[in-house]
Amino acid sequence: MRFVVPILTFLLPFVVVSLVASQTHQQRLFQLPYGARVGPPHYFLEHRELRRPQVGLALSGGGARSLAQAGVLLALEENDIPIHFIAGTSMGSVIGGLYAAGYSATQIMEIIKRIPWDALIVDTPLRTTLFIAQKAERDRSYLQVRFNGFKPYIPPALTPGQQLINILTDLTMRANYRASANFDYLRIPYRAVATDLYSGKKIVIADGDLAEAMRASVAVPLLFAPVQRDSMLLLDGGLVDNIPVSVVRQHDVDLVIGVDTTAKLRRPNQLDAPWEIADQVTSIMQRDHNDAQRRAADVLIRLDGEPRASMDFSNLDSLFAAGHRAAMALMAEIKSKLSNTDHAVDDEAPLEIDQISVNGRPLPPAPGHDSNADNDHAARMRMSPKEIEAQLVDHYQTGSYASVRAVWRADSSRNTLDLQLTPNPVLRAVRFSGNTVFADSVLRNCIVSPLGESINHQLSRQDLETIIELYRGAGYALAEIHHARFDSTTGELHIDIDEGYIADIQIEGARHTRDVVIWREYPLQAGDIFDSNRSARGIQNIHSLGLFDQVAVNVTRRARSVAAVVRGTVEATAVVHIKLQEKPSLLSRLGLRYDTERSGRLWVEVGDENFLGLASKLFAHGMVGSRDYAGLLSWRIDRLLRTYLNFSAQLRYRYAKNYSYAARGERLGEYEDERHGLLLSLGQQVRRFGAVSAEINLENIQVRGLAGRGYDTGRETLNTLTFRSVVDTQDRVPFARQGRYAQLAYSMAIRQLQSEDSFFKFLVKLESSTTFAKRHTVHPRFFAGTSDQNTPFSEQFRIGGPEDMYGLHDQELVGRHFIIASLEYRYRLPTKLLFDTYLSPRFDFGTMWRDKDDVNYRKFRKAMGVALAWDTPLGPMALAIGTIENQANRVYFTAGYRF
């Protein structure tokens, strides 16, 4: 014991000092919760993202109501609510897919307003995309039936969805992010929900072509045709899961926000179309499942206060506003639940701090703090660990630092908080490679990161996205940053660009059509840089052939070769897939026509529009009427091989009864005109708006008298060579809104009998349509023709009837020279009388001369008339009244297309 006391006495100072030191020297380290590493090609440098609560978004279907989801996205953006995963059904898949691909909420709103929603179900190629012969073909029939063998072909839906896939493809091609392998590589991982028609199972699409995935998810039964994918036939995902909360739950998310824009059950007056009935049945069957999905969401945003029907695409701004309001009403709840899921730092007692420093350098003292009073604890700041972490987060999110942390130290004299910020290296130069489309100077203008300063991660991402936007905006949809390499020793950044070279083009789905038909219409080939604008024109050209229900382009990437990987070089890896859904090519067309001048006529044609798989048309045509009969066997090729040469051959027969008239319209007699022969034509297409051709017509003509006088009878055998030029840019016929039509034709005819002289004819037709203020159309016309004195009666010009000149009978004026000028004003009535209705007054000025001795300007006559016309599914219908000077008013009624 006598040794214990001295020993304790000796050790006591050291123990006391140690205890005091332990109380006066404290230290605590604060670090951020880092997550996954990210870097090139989306950033200049590799760095770690912050680990934050993961938010998943489930977007429902609902037709037009789903467009309100753009307003929901805007509200989330405005409140800095990050989205880490999206699943969408039906229209929700479209909104979600565009957002995942890089479009902002505001951009999606603008896109939605530009889409012609009412025209999405009209998949007929635009008239302006057709060749001249195709335009004439469309302009004479109203009913078309296809045959699969000997059975009529019934399409699976009202429309194949070509318009829709065109729009979605264009949007995804222009987006900042493309799914190179699967939809996890988009800006936000994404899934589209569809239904397999064969198995009835829910299909969650996670890879492939983004446009095709959205198109499949939105394929409303009976309205849009289903989408073939592998061994499945995909339809609207709303059939099995209209609010895909369960899909989001399957992924690593902390909070699921469901957006429910589904409509209530339709009222009786809203069940007019088959697809509306199908949607109603689906809604009834999905009611319990939808309720369960609503309960499964952590936060459910509903469009309860919006009475809009699912097919009402009017006043879209109010729809966006409704979605924005619905989201803002729950924003406090969303933020609260997000806060509760964030447990990176516990809510501990605050720490006392006298001095804050950055990398050891003190910051100025806080207001009210006396820097000379070391023990002035009353002036100390108090910060909780969460507040300290928030400061670190603010610094790190500026993007200027490689890492951040904080050290809190406490001793007997001062409590300090040192923010230890490691800046990114300095950017000193930028170099480009792989670029051939844009010069280095153009690409440097996309870089806003300043030279001579530390790299900012946020700016670097913006810079690289701006470069891709430049390429995408010009149509180079496959362009991407191959790599961004930063040399920390020199400060040089090397940006290597893959502009999207095509390695191969593959045609899929052409069972009968030969590949040459597709190649000649598609302007890109292996070795080219993929240009979405040229590709879209090619798809339009292929669809305009009329041989396919749907034409789409998918692009995949091949793996880079080992040599390219070793060298670090760019190579052509893009494979373009032209996907075709071929129609049956056997068909029949029907046209009907009635007018007060020639009574009723029926036109029928039957044939193969893809004869020999070369897109050539082999048809038999027939016409029967009270005053007309005709038969025609034709073979037409609009493009010979890969050229723009066209060829046609026709065996023709036509019989018609015509009247002859005196100078003031009195009927003089009746005769019959019968002719048969062979017509051969070889020409050159001028893009899609015109053609020039040379025609050889070998024809036998016989004119026989039936009663009275006023005509010449006899038999003629003519060999005629005609040079013809046609330009037709009219958007529709009849009732053209915009466009021009011009035809010039010069014919030289040789009679078989050498005693009879040859003759020539020249014809010009010009007309234009210009619409302003949507409803008002001005339509001037000019027709003229001349021929020499040897032109026989059977080949002279004939004008008359409401299409030529008001107040005249059909073919009332016959002669060798004529001029007609007209000015029509057409007004589309704001209220339909069953169909689109037009009121059209017209003024005509012209005349006909029998021969050159008869030419006299005093014989010009003025005519005027007005027509009330309807654009019906069976063709145009018009009731008109017109008069020409010195003759009585005439009333005309016409129905059906001209042929």
Side-chain angles (χ1 to χ4, degrees):
M1 286 295 293
R2 63 178 179 174
F3 297 107
V4 171
V5 173
I7 292 172
L8 291 175
T9 303
F10 176 77
L11 294 176
L12 182 61
F14 294 99
V15 173
V16 172
V17 170
S18 177
L19 291 173
V20 171
S22 66
Q23 292 177 354
T24 58
H25 291 277
Q26 301 180 48
Q27 179 172 305
R28 182 168 178 179
L29 176 65
F30 294 90
Q31 291 183 312
L32 290 179
Y34 293 112
R37 289 188 177 277
V38 294
H42 300 301
Y43 298 88
F44 292 175
L45 296 171
E46 185 182 81
H47 63 284
R48 301 188 69 175
E49 291 184 328
L50 295 180
R51 186 170 66 247
R52 302 182 65 183
Q54 301 289 292
V55 179
L57 200 59
L59 302 178
S60 79
R65 293 171 59 86
S66 298
L67 303 182
Q69 294 167 1
V72 173
L73 294 173
L74 180 62
L76 296 175
E77 286 181 355
E78 291 172 345
N79 287 271
D80 297 321
I81 306 299
I83 305 299
H84 302 91
F85 183 83
I86 299 176
T89 295
S90 195
M91 191 70 80
S93 75
V94 176
I95 302 298
L98 295 179
Y99 198 66
Y103 289 101
S104 68
T106 302
Q107 288 174 320
I108 292 174
M109 291 179 188
E110 293 304 314
I111 289 168
I112 288 171
K113 288 192 283 190
R114 292 198 304 266
I115 293 175
W117 295 100
D118 293 340
L120 284 185
I121 61 174
V122 181
D123 272 346
T124 305
L126 295 175
R127 190 177 186 275
T128 52
T129 67
L130 304 179
F131 289 121
I132 294 297
Q134 290 178 294
K135 294 173 182 178
E137 192 174 67
R138 179 190 288 188
D139 295 344
R140 65 172 178 252
S141 64
Y142 77 91
L143 178 64
Q144 179 172 283
V145 179
R146 294 185 177 272
F147 293 90
N148 196 348
F150 293 100
K151 295 181 180 179
Y153 168 70
I154 300 175
L158 178 67
T159 172
Q162 183 66 41
Q163 274 265 50
L164 183 58
I165 195 64
N166 285 349
I167 291 172
L168 294 178
T169 299
D170 180 68
L171 291 172
T172 55
M173 287 287 185
R174 296 181 184 279
N176 279 343
Y177 288 79
R178 287 186 55 82
S180 56
N182 59 58
F183 296 161
D184 287 339
Y185 289 85
L186 296 170
R187 181 184 65 168
I188 302 170
Y190 163 80
R191 300 292 184 269
V193 178
T195 306
D196 180 15
L197 185 61
Y198 296 142
S199 67
K201 294 180 180 179
K202 177 172 74 175
I203 305 299
V204 179
I205 307 175
D207 55 22
D209 183 74
L210 179 60
E212 183 182 76
M214 294 188 289
R215 164 70 180 83
S217 182
V218 81
V220 177
L222 302 180
L223 182 59
F224 291 110
V227 174
Q228 188 75 44
R229 179 183 166 96
D230 300 326
S231 61
M232 301 176 293
L233 195 62
L234 301 183
L235 281 170
D236 192 340
L239 297 173
V240 290
D241 193 358
N242 206 24
I243 311 173
V245 172
S246 60
V247 177
V248 180
R249 282 282 180 213
Q250 294 172 4
H251 293 77
D252 186 19
V253 295
D254 300 301
L255 183 74
V256 178
I257 300 175
V259 183
D260 177 14
T261 54
T262 57
K264 297 179 180 178
L265 293 179
R266 286 178 164 84
R267 297 186 296 273
N269 62 349
Q270 296 175 323
L271 294 171
D272 298 327
W275 49 89
E276 292 175 342
I277 296 173
D279 183 63
Q280 184 87 326
V281 172
T282 301
S283 298
I284 294 171
M285 295 174 64
Q286 281 287 303
R287 193 154 39 186
D288 292 341
H289 178 76
N290 289 344
D291 288 341
Q293 294 296 289
R294 294 183 184 104
R295 292 190 297 270
D298 295 312
V299 178
L300 182 67
I301 300 173
R302 300 192 67 173
L303 204 64
D304 288 331
E306 176 63 47
R308 181 185 300 260
S310 59
M311 297 297 288
D312 182 3
F313 290 92
S314 63
N315 195 12
L316 294 176
D317 284 328
S318 69
L319 197 55
F320 301 147
H324 188 270
R325 285 194 305 270
M328 291 302 296
L330 294 171
M331 198 55 64
E333 180 183 350
I334 293 172
K335 291 180 177 180
S336 174
K337 291 192 175 184
L338 272 179
S339 177
N340 292 336
T341 62
D342 187 1
H343 301 295
V345 176
D346 295 330
D347 190 10
E348 302 176 10
L351 302 174
E352 295 183 343
I353 301 171
D354 298 298
Q355 179 69 56
I356 297 178
S357 61
V358 176
N359 295 335
R361 297 180 180 180
L363 293 176
H369 180 74
D370 185 356
S371 60
N372 296 318
D374 291 339
N375 297 316
D376 184 11
H377 296 293
R380 284 178 174 175
M381 292 177 286
R382 299 170 65 86
M383 295 180 66
S384 70
K386 277 194 173 183
E387 291 173 326
I388 294 173
E389 184 183 86
Q391 279 210 11
L392 294 178
V393 168
D394 289 343
H395 283 289
Y396 193 71
Q397 286 185 332
T398 63
S400 298
Y401 300 101
S403 65
V404 301
R405 68 177 192 170
V407 178
W408 177 81
R409 297 185 181 90
D411 55 31
S412 58
S413 61
R414 181 181 296 275
N415 297 346
T416 63
L417 180 69
D418 185 33
L419 304 179
Q420 299 178 358
L421 312 179
T422 304
N424 288 322
V426 174
L427 178 66
R428 301 193 182 281
V430 180
R431 182 167 60 89
F432 298 94
S433 64
N435 54 306
T436 62
V437 176
F438 297 108
D440 289 2
S441 59
V442 175
L443 297 181
R444 285 195 187 95
N445 289 335
C446 298
I447 305 294
V448 298
S449 295
L451 299 181
E453 297 184 13
S454 296
I455 290 174
N456 182 288
H457 295 308
Q458 308 307 325
L459 285 181
S460 74
R461 177 170 181 164
Q462 176 185 327
D463 290 343
L464 295 175
E465 286 183 349
T466 302
I467 292 174
I468 296 303
E469 285 177 358
L470 177 67
Y471 274 92
R472 297 280 201 271
Y476 301 102
L478 303 186
E480 57 187 28
I481 304 299
H482 177 244
H483 207 84
R485 299 184 182 90
F486 179 76
D487 188 336
S488 58
T489 59
T490 63
E492 182 182 76
L493 175 70
H494 175 208
I495 300 176
D496 193 19
I497 298 173
D498 179 353
E499 295 183 319
Y501 285 89
I502 300 173
D504 190 18
I505 300 177
Q506 300 177 359
I507 299 172
E508 303 172 9
R511 300 184 304 274
H512 182 57
T513 307
R514 300 194 184 188
D515 286 355
V516 66
V517 175
I518 310 303
W519 293 127
R520 74 189 185 196
E521 302 296 343
Y522 194 70
L524 297 175
Q525 56 187 353
D528 291 343
I529 299 175
F530 183 83
D531 183 339
S532 63
N533 295 323
R534 294 177 65 195
S535 177
R537 287 196 297 271
I539 294 306
Q540 183 184 73
N541 292 343
I542 296 171
H543 187 239
S544 296
L545 294 172
L547 307 179
F548 307 100
D549 276 327
Q550 185 171 293
V551 184
V553 163
N554 293 350
V555 181
T556 58
R557 293 271 193 177
R558 289 178 178 170
R560 296 167 62 214
S561 66
V562 175
V565 173
V566 171
R567 294 193 304 266
T569 58
V570 175
E571 65 178 351
T573 60
V575 180
V576 178
H577 304 265
I578 302 176
K579 304 183 70 173
L580 309 170
Q581 292 181 12
E582 203 170 46
K583 299 178 184 177
S585 61
L586 297 177
L587 57 86
S588 65
R589 297 190 184 98
L590 177 69
L592 291 173
R593 169 80 175 182
Y594 176 85
D595 62 66
T596 50
E597 293 296 306
R598 303 200 68 85
S599 299
R601 280 166 285 173
L602 170 67
W603 173 271
V604 179
E605 53 188 20
V606 180
D608 187 347
E609 67 175 354
N610 196 9
F611 183 59
L612 301 178
L614 294 172
S616 63
K617 322 293 182 183
L618 180 63
F619 276 89
H621 317 256
M623 181 181 69
V624 178
S626 58
R627 301 184 60 80
D628 300 89
Y629 303 94
L632 182 68
L633 181 63
S634 69
W635 181 37
R636 191 184 85 236
I637 304 176
D638 291 326
R639 289 189 66 179
L640 288 168
L641 300 178
R642 294 196 177 192
T643 73
Y644 276 89
L645 295 175
N646 60 83
F647 170 80
S648 68
Q650 298 179 356
L651 285 173
R652 308 196 298 179
Y653 170 82
R654 179 151 190 147
Y655 171 88
K657 291 181 180 180
N658 299 319
Y659 294 111
S660 60
Y661 295 91
R664 297 185 179 276
E666 294 88 358
R667 187 178 299 173
L668 293 178
E670 184 180 14
Y671 62 94
E672 57 186 11
D673 185 317
E674 185 176 18
R675 45 184 84 202
H676 61 273
L678 172 66
L679 175 65
L680 301 175
S681 174
L682 179 66
Q684 171 78 35
Q685 306 281 6
V686 182
R687 296 186 182 178
R688 302 274 165 164
F689 61 80
V692 293
S693 62
E695 304 168 1
I696 297 176
N697 188 17
L698 311 176
E699 191 171 38
N700 290 310
I701 306 169
Q702 185 171 8
V703 178
R704 293 186 292 267
L706 297 177
R709 56 188 175 83
Y711 49 82
D712 296 337
T713 60
R715 181 185 296 271
E716 294 277 357
T717 299
L718 299 178
N719 301 326
T720 306
L721 175 63
T722 301
F723 298 96
R724 191 184 310 275
S725 172
V726 178
V727 172
D728 186 352
T729 64
Q730 296 174 109
D731 59 349
R732 60 203 302 263
V733 171
F735 311 121
R737 298 188 181 98
Q738 300 290 341
R740 310 289 181 265
Y741 179 86
Q743 180 182 173
L744 299 176
Y746 178 79
S747 301
M748 297 180 295
I750 300 175
R751 294 178 175 180
Q752 189 176 32
L753 296 178
Q754 295 183 354
S755 59
E756 297 179 327
D757 295 330
S758 61
F759 62 91
F760 77 88
K761 293 173 61 177
F762 177 76
L763 174 70
V764 56
K765 291 185 176 183
L766 304 171
E767 54 184 306
S768 169
S769 296
T770 303
T771 297
F772 57 95
K774 295 183 178 181
R775 299 187 177 278
H776 308 270
T777 302
V778 177
H779 177 212
R781 305 183 307 168
F782 176 78
F783 301 159
T786 186
S787 59
D788 66 19
Q789 288 297 108
N790 296 318
T791 306
F793 173 79
S794 61
E795 294 302 293
Q796 292 176 14
F797 299 110
R798 287 161 169 77
I799 61 175
E803 285 85 5
D804 292 338
M805 197 166 181
Y806 273 124
L808 298 177
H809 294 282
D810 176 63
Q811 301 186 35
E812 180 174 327
L813 303 181
V814 180
R816 295 182 175 88
H817 315 276
F818 80 96
I819 293 177
I820 298 176
S822 301
L823 180 61
E824 179 185 39
Y825 163 72
R826 186 168 63 244
Y827 175 66
R828 182 163 59 91
L829 301 183
T831 301
K832 295 183 180 180
L833 303 179
L834 297 180
F835 310 102
D836 281 344
T837 308
Y838 301 86
L839 184 65
S840 306
R842 193 182 81 210
F843 174 78
D844 301 323
F845 182 73
T847 191
M848 173 74 77
W849 299 287
R850 288 194 178 274
D851 52 49
K852 63 181 181 180
D853 296 331
D854 193 36
V855 174
N856 191 321
Y857 74 91
R858 293 189 178 89
K859 291 193 174 183
F860 274 98
R861 305 167 72 183
K862 297 185 290 293
M864 61 186 64
V866 62
L868 187 65
W870 294 265
D871 189 5
T872 80
L874 301 181
M877 184 170 66
L879 179 64
I881 183 171
T883 182
I884 190 169
E885 57 185 50
N886 303 322
Q887 290 185 207
N889 293 341
R890 291 198 57 81
V891 176
Y892 306 93
F893 176 76
T894 59
Y897 294 103
R898 301 181 70 180
F899 42 77

